[in-house]
Amino acid sequence: MWEQDIGCFPVPFAEDGDEWAHHLGNVMGSGFHRISGTDGVGGPVEMGPPLHGSVTSILRVHPHPAGIACTVVGEDGTLAPDQVDPWRIGAHAAVSEIGRHQQPQVWDALVGLSPSVGLGPDTLGELAARSLGPLDLASAGVYMREFRGPERVDSHFIGIRRTFPVIVTGRVTTYHWDRVVPVAQVQLRRVCALLTLSTRLLWEPRSHPWPQSPTGPTLKVPISVNPGFSMPKGQEWTGDVPPGTGNWKLPWWVDQAWERLENDSGLNIALNAYYEAVRLQRRHPSLALLTYVAAIEGVGMRFVPDALCNCHPECTHSKGVAEKRFRKALKTVLTQREVKELAGPLYDKRSHTGHRGTLFGSEEVFGYAPTGMFQASPYFGFEALLLGQLATVANAVLVKAFSAADSGPG
């Protein structure tokens, strides 16, 4: 094995390294046989050999105070100019290409009510077209039918769900479509979180982001999803929106929500926690309770800042203020008496799950609670009453935070 240093290049490792590597791949011949990414703690990126040509060596790229440091590595033979010079020439050429190929990329993706929300028709109707931050939202114009098969292979139950999905359209300026997808996924999560908060129903992405072509969208919206059972003759499903279907609008506080989230990291963290709690609630109710409490605590951070322990003047430990934050946030939507009745039992269960791993819900039996004519579910009090009440309160706390004009960053 041999190695040859070919110098340092003014390319910020994390910020522009991927674009530089993309252009280097084009210069060297349409990409590489293999690329391995950095380990995040100073390890190198390796790429090569090129897909075409006679170069069999690879390039190893390290972070460097000046940008990136490049070393050509060969496993066969001895060091030869024809195995080194193409890398040096290509590396210089790739530097000059950074920032010159930025193009606006338009993408579409489908979001909708989660299949786990329940069976039957969608009672919301079609979302009225609007913008949400940098994105455009519009009804897909389809009444989508979805067959939900059983999760266990020996079950034959098939449910039917009918919904009005929404098309989300966004724009990202970048050098390649691969760089669009991570940005789009972040924005889709925020859209789904805000739709979930405003409707109190779980919204999720129902498709990957798809690029728009010069002639228009490439996203295909299905009228029926998953194999189901045959319909009587003459009753084929068309996906047409039923006559008389109404439009629904997002509440007023959503108008400024995107900007608020961009400028308020504490509120953004709390919204993410709330959304994750809703996603957890069906299958993991105990973890959902823990996460709802965390979301409320996140809102409470703006009322109760971090504080140092005052046990003695030289103590540098932080004082425990999490439960105080929880109670302060609850007081934005509940009376003092309601907070006193609710906070204790909730926080006690939160602590048991968070510190001991205790499970209180039907996740212990995969959701199959022992019930009968003379036996109530042992999980009813926790899931339907306590967790259900917490979900309602967490929603109200977050909506209140978005609605408050004087709510500052947390």
Side-chain angles (χ1 to χ4, degrees), residues 15-50:
E15 292 83 356
D16 293 334
D18 284 306
E19 183 178 357
W20 175 82
H22 170 77
H23 297 313
L24 177 60
N26 290 337
V27 172
M28 297 293 290
S30 302
F32 306 108
H33 283 286
R34 182 178 63 87
I35 297 180
S36 62
T38 179
D39 58 10
V41 291
V45 173
E46 292 186 352
M47 59 192 77

Side-chain angles (χ1 to χ4, degrees), residues 6-12 20 64 66-70 87-88 90-93 95:
I6 61 171
C8 296
F9 300 87
V11 178
W20 175 82
H64 187 275
I68 57 175
C70 298
W87 287 112
R88 183 184 290 110
H92 280 289
V95 171

Side-chain angles (χ1 to χ4, degrees), residues 190-202:
R190 181 176 287 181
V191 167
C192 289
L194 288 170
L195 289 171
T196 297
L197 183 65
S198 61
T199 63
R200 293 180 58 187
L201 296 169
L202 177 58

Side-chain angles (χ1 to χ4, degrees), residues 305-326:
D306 293 332
L308 291 176
C309 179
N310 56 4
C311 63
H312 62 82
E314 297 180 0
C315 181
T316 59
H317 293 93
S318 296
K319 184 187 295 185
V321 294
E323 186 172 1
K324 187 175 182 180
R325 287 170 173 167
F326 180 62

Side-chain angles (χ1 to χ4, degrees), residues 10 36 41 69 74 85 87 98 126 132 171 258 265 268 276 296 302 319 333-334 339 349 352 375 395 405:
S36 62
V41 291
D85 291 345
W87 287 112
I98 294 176
E126 294 187 282
L132 182 56
R171 296 157 187 84
W258 200 279
S265 61
N268 187 53
E276 200 61 26
I296 295 172
R302 62 196 61 233
K319 184 187 295 185
V333 296
L334 299 178
V339 171
K349 284 184 167 49
H352 274 268
Q375 182 183 19
N395 182 278

Side-chain angles (χ1 to χ4, degrees), residues 353-399:
T353 298
H355 299 302
R356 302 182 188 178
T358 307
L359 301 178
F360 296 99
S362 60
E363 64 263 68
E364 290 187 314
V365 291
F366 297 107
Y368 288 85
T371 58
M373 293 293 294
F374 297 88
Q375 182 183 19
S377 167
Y379 307 110
F380 179 80
F382 174 76
E383 293 184 5
L385 301 181
L386 191 63
L387 182 57
Q389 187 176 10
L390 175 61
T392 300
V393 171
N395 182 278
V397 168
L398 264 294
V399 169

